[in-house]
Structures are given as structure tokens and as C-alpha cells.
Amino acid sequence: MNDNAEQQRLTAAASYPAAQLAKAFTTALTHHAPATRRRAEERGQRWRAVLAGMAAGRLRVGSRTPLVGLPAWVTPEVMRGGFATGTPGAGGPLQPYETEAALSFGVPAERHALFAHCLTEAGLAWLWARLDDGHYEVGVPEEAALLTVAWLVRHGATDAALDLAAELEPFADRLRYLPRPTDGPAPDPVAAVHRNTVSDAVDTLVRRRPHAAVEAQREALAVWQPFGDELLVHWLETAGDGRVLELAPDADWLARGAALLARYRLLAAEHTRCTKHRNPKQNLGILRGALEETVAGRPLDARRLGLLRHAVESMVRRRGLPGSAPHTALRRQQTRQAALPSHHALAQLMLRRLAELPQDTGITDVPPLLTPVTEREEQETGLPAGAQVPPVIRQVVEAALSAPLGTLVERGVVPSAEVMAELVPQLVATTTARAYGDEALRDLMAANYRAFGNRRSLLLVNLERQVRVEELPWVRAVSGQRSAVIGKADEEGALTVLRQLGELAVQAFPGTILPNPLVRELGVLARQGDLGAPFVEELAADIFMGTFSPKFLTAARIAGELLGGTLYERYYGIDYRAIRNLAITETGAALSRSYGARTSPGFARLCTERAGAASSGSCSVAASGTVIEQAQILTTHNLATLVHRVEIAPRPGFADLAHRCFGTVCRLTARVQGNPRPLPTIKDAAYAWRQMLFHLSLCPPAEQRRFLSGPAEETARHPAHVATRLAPALAGLALTVEGGAFDTDGTADGGGARRFLGWSTTGHWMR
């Protein structure tokens, strides 16, 4: 691939933020929910900042230093797709706590003034107090910087503190270095993690508004149905031979009718959700309109009289006479339904319960919050005692559960590997911080790591890598404290957590490849545990540079150690012995460099050859995708590393995982039918298929043959087209299980059996 092609790709990248801006603009104009419109408007403003920064040259798209004038360690504000907005994550207007701190310190409400004060004796004392009591949190990594300076000063490392302060000072007017005060220390995430905090649950419930349609129905049952019954009874008093107005209304009837109309006007002014009673074509509107005419002394014409009699007859026919057993039973049931508290009212009750909990942590004990309304709460809120918390509110509360990660996965609070990846930094932070001997520093570095885990990945080209936590100046400043105390126990602790996370991810989400954020956290644990085994990320096809770093070849060699001579090697036509020799050759020679980074040209050449001649020399996204997929096949995308080096033992076993992977394949294949853009779904199905092949390859041959009897039963649970689409792939699987092999084009039996891959440059056969 040439530089011109890459430049064309980066120029075209502007189309993505432009499309996102258009999408946000449309949502901001058309969505029915005001809160959604407001969020879309804010999102649109950030996308406009991205485009403006790109146009003005203030943003370097594809660089690990996207903000011109700011170093790589500064946390950027990153939008979807890895585009930086140009605003530092620790920038923007002063936070309320910064303003309060400036007032307390007696300095101007400016970040540089806060920074300078914290380097004074009084400021350092304030920071030392935070280190001692732990009453702080780090929202972005920069907020750990001044605490690190204070720690260094207290421990006599004055030169290191001065060097760190000097590195921070040029940006002190723009970046937020002050930690956020809290009411208590952060909880230890070793025993429990949480997806949402109590504050997050509160925000979600606050945004809930009464459901207009439900409240209108409640009003109809509680107000307008009973009033309609009164009108009906009033008209039936004039019935003779079953027809209303056969008897002439007397003065008393007219007076009571006027009173009904007066009450109607009061009800209509107070209860405005339901408007059906205003419709002159509805039964209630017909009865009320006829009564107004009659009370006013105006006789009903033939048409209105006919409408009135028809309305009365239809109401009696449908529900029975008011006071009859069927009518009474119906109204009693509707009254009970109308008396049920609304979800909005119960959400307000839940807010009262949550207000008594610490807001910055998860919920350790959820059941007490989900109990029915108590008698005391009935007196305080008017809600009926015994009313149950509805599922929609239960889900909000349960999403803030603080529990071991495995428990969150089991209960569905963590529904995907992507969500799991969001929580893993809470665990890895504590594990990596164990290497620091001082307790205050250990807590500080754990808080810093948790904040760093929220740093979103940038769109990178030219083989640049994401910033690592050890590159942060304040982490470098205390790196000597870490290396001085790290030992065998810390390595074993990191490997234990790595093994637990690996097993949980594989057994909970067997048909999904490990997302990049999770891969990065696993890599941190592997480095701390001195495992010597690489974890490889999923590469983006639209910015693929045509080469790979050496760790991909290492990962492929590890896969060969586990899978040589297995079904996996035979199915994908891999020669793992050749990969081993290639790894030995490249290890003994100087590795190539491309764009300034070390690369493995042999592995890149192998992947390109395996992808086929169609991808060679092509710069299309599909061609890049075929090469990347071959790298994933050769490396098993971290599965072999987890099983062979980390030694995970997922339960209940590899055969079960293979069956569950096939279930995912079927679910994804079912979405292809009628899909105008099926290729991403086909790609995901092929990835799940590859996971299935891996697990199946670790089963004995007899188990593999038994597996072949299961697909028909599984595909029968899905639409008929699923079995049809998967038939060539299943035929290819059966072929290789029995020792056969595909032709060079990945087919056999005249195309009746096919190797299932996700990417194609010529149109996918499953489509």
C-alpha cells in the first residue's frame, strides 16, 4: 500500500464525522423527547468541533497526539470512531468543585492559580489530607497529577516533584489537575464492581416522565368512564319502551342535567390528558352534547336524536345496564386498574429510597430497595401499600448492583463482552496498584488507572499505538516505587486475575471476539505477570496499513503449539510448522520497520497470500478485511493464548462452548434475510463460527463427530433459510471432521461444501 492511498483514506475520513453531524442534527430537530433532542444537539456541537478542527489544522486525525500543542498524555475528548474533538477531557469550564476550592483557598477562580496554590505549604497540606483520608476521586487521569506531586514531596523526592510540576505547568491554565473531593474513600473493587453508580440510577429515574398514553388511559378509567355512566343513567330516565326521550323531561330532570354539565366543565378543566370526551362523534360526546341542547330548551333534530338513541343502545349492549352485575364487575376491575400507581410515581418513590445511599458507588444490597410500598411510605407519598416495583424500574436499580463481576454477568447486568470491558479496569486498577508499597500511593495509582480505563481509543494510522498508562508523567514519576517492591506474589496475583477474566469472557460470551478495550486490559495483566504472551487487538479494515507488529506472529506461533495437527489447522488450511519456522527466522534476524514501528513482514506476506490474489495490491476496505481475518484465524484472536499460556479452563467445557457458539452463528444468520446490508452480520457469524471451530478442535474426535448431529436440531429452532444458508458451511465442517480438506479456493464437492469466512472481495456466497 502506498502513501497516496493512505492519504486518500484520511481525507475520506471527514465523511464519517460529517455523517454523524447530520444524524445528530436530524435527531435534535425531529425526536419527540426533549432530553434526547438536547443530547443530540450537544453531540452535534462536538462533531462540528471535530470538522472545524480538521479543516483548520488544529486536529491531527490518525495521530496519537491529535491535539496540536498538547502532548500525547493529555486525555482527549473522543467521539465515536476515534475522532478527537479538539477539547481536552480535563479541559473546559471550571467544575463546581474547582470554583469552591478557589473560594476556600482564597485564590482567583482560575486553574493556573489553583495549580500554583497547591504547590505552596498550605496547598500541599490540603493534598496530604486527601491522600491520608482517601476522600477524593479521579474522573480523568490528570486529576491525579497534583496528588502525585504532594506524595513525592512528603516522601523526600523533591527533585522528582519539581520535575513533574515543571512538566505540568505549561498546561496548568487549561487542564484540571485538582482531585475531586468526596464524602468518603472509594470502595475496594476487588470484591465487587458496578456498571452504574447510584447517581447514574438517579439520573435515569429523574429523566423518566409520565407516559402520556398510559396516564390518559388512567384518567379515562378513573374520571370519564364513571361520568359517562352518570350521563347514561340520566338519559335512561327518559326511556319509554327502551328508547330515550320517549318520556318528556321534567323540571327536576333538567335541573339535575344542568348540574351534570356544570360538573363536566370542572372535570374537563382539571383532567386534560384524555380528550376523547371532547369528540362529538364518540358516545360520551354525543350524550353530553344532546344534554346541553335539551337543558338549553332546544329540541333535538332527527339526526341528533338518532345519534343519541344509538349511543345509549350501544353502551347498554356492550357493558350492560349500570348497576347490573356484569357492568358492576367491569367497573370494579377498571377502578382497581386505575388505582394502580403509575411507573412515574413509583420512580419518585425509588428516588426517595436511593437518596439515602452513597451516590458515587454501586448498590451492594439491591433487594431492600425493591420491596413493595410500605405503610409508612403510603402515608408519606399516597401510594398504596403493597404496590410492587415494576420491572422497568427494577432494571434501573439492578444495573447499579455492586457485586463480583461473575455475578453481574450471571444476572444479566453485564450483557456483552463490550460492557464487561468497561468494568474490567476497576479490577485491573487494584491488581496493578499492588506493586506500590505505600498504601496512599497504591490507592492513588488505582484511582488513576480506573480513570485511565475510561480513556477512549483514538483512530490511529501509521502503526501508532494508543497511549499507555505508564506514559503519564505522574505515573513515570513514581515508577521507581513500583519496581522496587514488585515480586513473585504480584506476578501471581496478576495471572490469577487474568485467568479469572479470561475464563469469564470466554464462557460467558463464547460467540464473540474479545473487544479491544478488554484485550488491552488483559495485555496489562499479562505484562505485569511477566507471562511473555501477547494479546492482539482487532484491526480496523478502513485504516489498515498492510502490515502487522511482531506480536501477531508470536501469537500465531502460540496457536500452533496448541492447535498443530487439529481440526482447526485442517479446516483453515494452516501450516503451523511453517509459522513456527517463520517465527524462528524473524527472531534471529533484525525485524523490519514501517512508519517507524517494528513489523513482521513475513507474517504480513503470509496473511496476504492466504487472503488470495484478489486482495494483493488492493487498497479496498474489503481487501484489507480479508487480510486481517487471516491474521485472526492464524492467531485465533487470543483464544489460544488464553488456553495455552494463561491456562484458562472455561466451564462446563469446550464441547458446550462449541454448541453455544453455533447457536450464535444461527442467530446471526437469521438476520441476513431481508437485510439490505448483510455483510457486517455475515462477518460476525463467521467470527462466531471460528470460535466454534477453536473450541471443537480441543474436543476428542468422538466428541467432534457427536457435535455433527446437533446442528440440524439447532437450525430447526430458527427460520428455514438459516439451515439453507449454513448448509455449505456445515458440509465443509463434516468434510474436515472426517479428515477431508478443501480445494485451494476453499470449496469442495463442486461448491457444496465451503470454508466459512467473513470477508470477501467478490460477493459473499451466504448473501
Side-chain angles (χ1 to χ4, degrees), residues 30 166 339 399 408 435 460 477 483 485 594 623 649 679 709:
T30 62
L408 299 186
L460 297 179
S483 61
V485 298
S594 180
L679 293 181
S709 63

Side-chain angles (χ1 to χ4, degrees), residues 178-458:
L178 199 68
R180 309 182 186 201
T182 61
D183 295 333
D188 184 359
V190 173
V193 295
H194 54 271
R195 181 180 179 184
N196 294 331
T197 64
V198 174
S199 178
D200 294 330
V202 167
D203 291 342
T204 301
L205 293 175
V206 166
R207 289 196 298 268
R208 287 190 64 87
R209 293 292 180 266
H211 193 290
V214 173
E215 295 306 314
Q217 181 187 32
R218 186 189 309 278
E219 183 180 281
L221 295 177
V223 177
W224 298 115
Q225 295 278 29
F227 183 77
D229 290 343
E230 292 184 58
L231 282 181
L232 176 60
V233 169
H234 194 65
W235 277 115
L236 287 174
E237 292 179 10
T238 69
D241 298 329
R243 287 156 52 104
V244 298
L245 281 182
E246 286 290 327
L247 303 176
D250 56 20
D252 178 62
W253 188 93
L254 293 173
R256 287 186 286 114
L260 280 173
L261 293 174
R263 192 153 64 84
Y264 167 79
R265 286 187 285 272
L266 292 175
L267 291 174
E270 181 180 356
H271 303 282
T272 59
R273 293 185 181 276
C274 182
T275 59
K276 196 174 181 180
H277 60 88
R278 302 181 186 274
N279 189 339
K281 296 182 179 180
Q282 295 291 330
N283 289 339
L284 182 55
I286 292 171
L287 268 60
R288 177 185 55 80
L291 183 59
E292 288 178 345
E293 293 296 307
T294 304
V295 169
R298 293 185 291 269
L300 302 182
D301 57 29
R303 177 180 176 278
R304 174 157 278 182
L305 179 60
L307 288 173
L308 173 63
R309 288 173 172 170
H310 179 270
V312 170
E313 292 170 1
S314 64
M315 293 173 71
V316 173
R317 184 170 58 252
R318 288 178 59 191
R319 302 183 181 91
L321 286 169
S324 65
H327 188 278
T328 301
L330 174 64
R331 290 299 186 235
R332 186 177 294 118
Q333 178 184 356
Q334 292 175 337
T335 299
R336 285 196 298 267
Q337 183 178 351
L340 293 175
S342 68
H343 288 183
H344 180 260
L346 289 169
Q348 303 310 302
L349 171 66
M350 188 57 65
L351 287 173
R352 293 167 60 96
R353 293 178 176 180
L354 293 175
E356 300 176 1
L357 301 178
Q359 299 296 295
D360 297 326
T361 64
I363 303 171
T364 56
D365 193 10
V366 167
L369 294 170
L370 303 179
T371 57
V373 177
T374 65
E375 293 182 359
R376 178 179 177 182
E377 289 171 333
E378 180 181 34
Q379 296 174 357
E380 295 174 346
T381 66
L383 293 170
Q388 299 287 332
V389 177
V392 67
I393 297 177
R394 295 176 65 95
Q395 291 171 2
V396 174
V397 176
E398 289 169 347
L401 171 65
S402 180
L405 185 56
T407 301
L408 299 186
V409 171
E410 181 182 346
R411 297 189 181 183
V413 177
V414 177
S416 66
E418 287 75 16
V419 174
M420 177 179 168
E422 297 173 3
L423 304 184
V424 166
Q426 297 182 46
L427 291 172
V428 178
T430 302
T431 303
T432 57
R434 286 175 181 164
Y436 298 95
D438 182 80
E439 182 179 358
L441 182 59
R442 187 162 57 243
D443 292 342
L444 174 59
M445 289 297 103
N448 174 78
Y449 193 95
R450 286 194 294 271
F452 186 82
N454 295 326
R455 178 174 174 141
R456 299 188 65 177
S457 298
L458 287 165

